[in-house]
Amino acid sequence: MTSIFYVECDAVHQNHFVFDIPEGHDAWLLVITQTPAQFWVDGQLKEYPAHCAVLFKPYQKIYYRACSERYINDWIRFESDEPFVSDTSLQPGTPFPLDDPEYCHKLFQLLVAEHSFQNDYRESSINCLLRTLFNKLLESCVQEDISPQHYPLLKLRTAIHNHPSHPWTISEMAKIINVSPGYLQLMYKKSFGLSCMEDVIHSRIRLAKEYLRHHLYTVAEIADRCGYRNVEHFCRQFKQMTGSSPKQFHKRHKSPADITELGYKSHSPTLSNGRLYIP
């Protein structure tokens, strides 16, 4: 069971802000910074960059303060007997950089919404959201130092995955995050384990698989929807990635009720004697 005492997103404080609770709260406190801040860690005041998280356990000393013109954070004070909280491997009181701060911020926004309204499944939703948030924290705390370029790279990767059909080029992607094409390729591979263009191809083929499984588009239509201007190039790349042609993949994965045969001409469903017929 998890109970939230208070949760807030985008809390803004002036440069004189200090939060000092020598004996700590009688509950857990999780803070995620959006700006640089100073925290009391191991008997001294240390400065940490934006996009850090820190978890304070009950009755643990809490001290942090602004170190720029404004201090902004998301925070939640709560109690929980859930093992993902009580048995967490996160080091209490020690800030660490977040791998995906936007994802965590969205979870905070959802927690604020659930806490604000008496919905039927409020407690269950809060528990699921908090569990997901702790999973993201655990993913982050095992990362090595996160470079400043990581966050714009992450935004670029999200854009690629959300819009795989866009005519992506290395030069365009480099301009988006304001780096040279060579540096982009180096940092992208280091951050995600594959090149930016490989990521584009993977995203397009993943989308193509979805169309082949569940839609009535022709191969040519699917190629166009996935960002390919040449059907043969799409088929060749699809086979390289999956080991089968688009038609073979469709036949292998279609449902028993699906009587579609993929071709290069667009077919429209028609009704015959009250039944759906696909020519």
Side-chain angles (χ1 to χ4, degrees):
M1 176 69 70
T2 299
S3 297
I4 295 177
F5 296 114
Y6 205 86
V7 57
E8 186 176 12
C9 281
D10 302 314
V12 180
H13 305 278
Q14 300 307 312
N15 58 2
H16 57 269
F17 171 78
V18 176
F19 195 75
D20 184 10
I21 311 291
E23 304 300 324
H25 288 305
D26 59 353
W28 295 88
L29 174 67
L30 173 63
V31 177
I32 292 182
T33 65
Q34 296 184 33
T35 56
Q38 292 179 330
F39 287 85
W40 188 265
V41 180
D42 297 331
Q44 58 182 311
L45 201 59
K46 298 181 180 180
E47 184 171 331
Y48 291 85
H51 310 308
C52 283
V54 57
L55 177 69
F56 296 99
K57 63 184 180 181
Y59 307 108
Q60 180 179 14
K61 174 183 173 66
I62 302 171
Y63 184 96
Y64 55 91
R65 61 183 298 166
C67 63
S68 57
E69 291 185 4
R70 289 194 307 167
Y71 170 69
I72 307 173
N73 69 1
D74 302 333
W75 65 276
I76 179 172
R77 191 174 76 253
F78 64 99
E79 64 179 9
S80 177
D81 57 7
E82 295 287 347
F84 70 85
V85 176
S86 58
D87 298 336
T88 183
S89 59
L90 296 174
Q91 175 107 24
T94 303
F96 57 90
L98 286 175
D99 176 62
D100 194 342
E102 285 196 14
Y103 189 103
C104 294
H105 183 65
K106 289 174 183 176
L107 289 172
F108 259 92
Q109 290 175 325
L110 293 171
L111 283 165
V112 169
E114 288 296 335
H115 180 61
S116 301
F117 302 104
Q118 296 294 328
N119 297 321
D120 292 341
Y121 294 95
R122 177 174 178 265
E123 290 184 2
S124 176
S125 296
I126 286 174
N127 207 56
C128 289
L129 288 168
L130 198 61
R131 182 187 294 272
T132 303
L133 179 55
F134 266 72
N135 285 344
K136 300 306 292 184
L137 297 178
L138 289 170
E139 289 175 358
S140 296
C141 75
V142 299
Q143 298 282 343
E144 297 180 359
D145 291 339
I146 296 175
S147 69
Q149 292 83 14
H150 174 77
Y151 300 118
L153 283 172
L154 194 62
K155 287 185 178 181
L156 172 62
R157 192 179 199 201
T158 300
I160 289 172
H161 287 192
N162 286 338
H163 306 284
S165 61
H166 180 79
W168 296 102
T169 64
I170 293 174
S171 58
E172 179 198 16
M173 289 186 275
K175 286 180 181 178
I176 289 174
I177 62 173
N178 198 29
V179 297
S180 69
Y183 188 66
L184 166 67
Q185 295 182 82
L186 177 67
M187 292 303 298
Y188 203 98
K189 184 90 178 256
K190 183 178 179 181
S191 295
F192 306 122
L194 74 173
S195 73
C196 45
M197 289 312 299
E198 286 174 337
D199 217 358
V200 171
I201 294 169
H202 285 207
S203 298
R204 289 176 175 176
I205 298 303
R206 184 166 56 247
L207 180 60
K209 288 179 179 179
E210 180 68 13
Y211 284 137
L212 289 165
R213 284 189 178 104
H214 303 296
H215 294 272
L216 304 178
Y217 302 123
T218 66
V219 170
E221 289 169 335
I222 291 173
D224 182 67
R225 285 175 173 270
C226 293
Y228 291 90
R229 301 298 171 256
N230 182 285
V231 179
E232 287 72 23
H233 177 56
F234 163 66
C235 292
R236 183 167 57 251
Q237 205 161 71
F238 188 94
K239 189 166 186 178
Q240 288 175 348
M241 295 288 295
T242 67
S244 61
S245 70
K247 284 187 177 181
Q248 291 169 337
F249 184 91
H250 171 72
K251 290 178 181 179
R252 191 162 63 247
H253 292 89
K254 67 181 180 180
S255 66
D258 185 2
I259 58 173
T260 305
E261 289 294 336
L262 243 63
Y264 288 88
K265 293 182 179 180
S266 179
H267 299 303
S268 300
T270 59
L271 286 172
S272 177
N273 297 326
R275 288 187 163 189
L276 180 67
Y277 172 68
I278 303 174

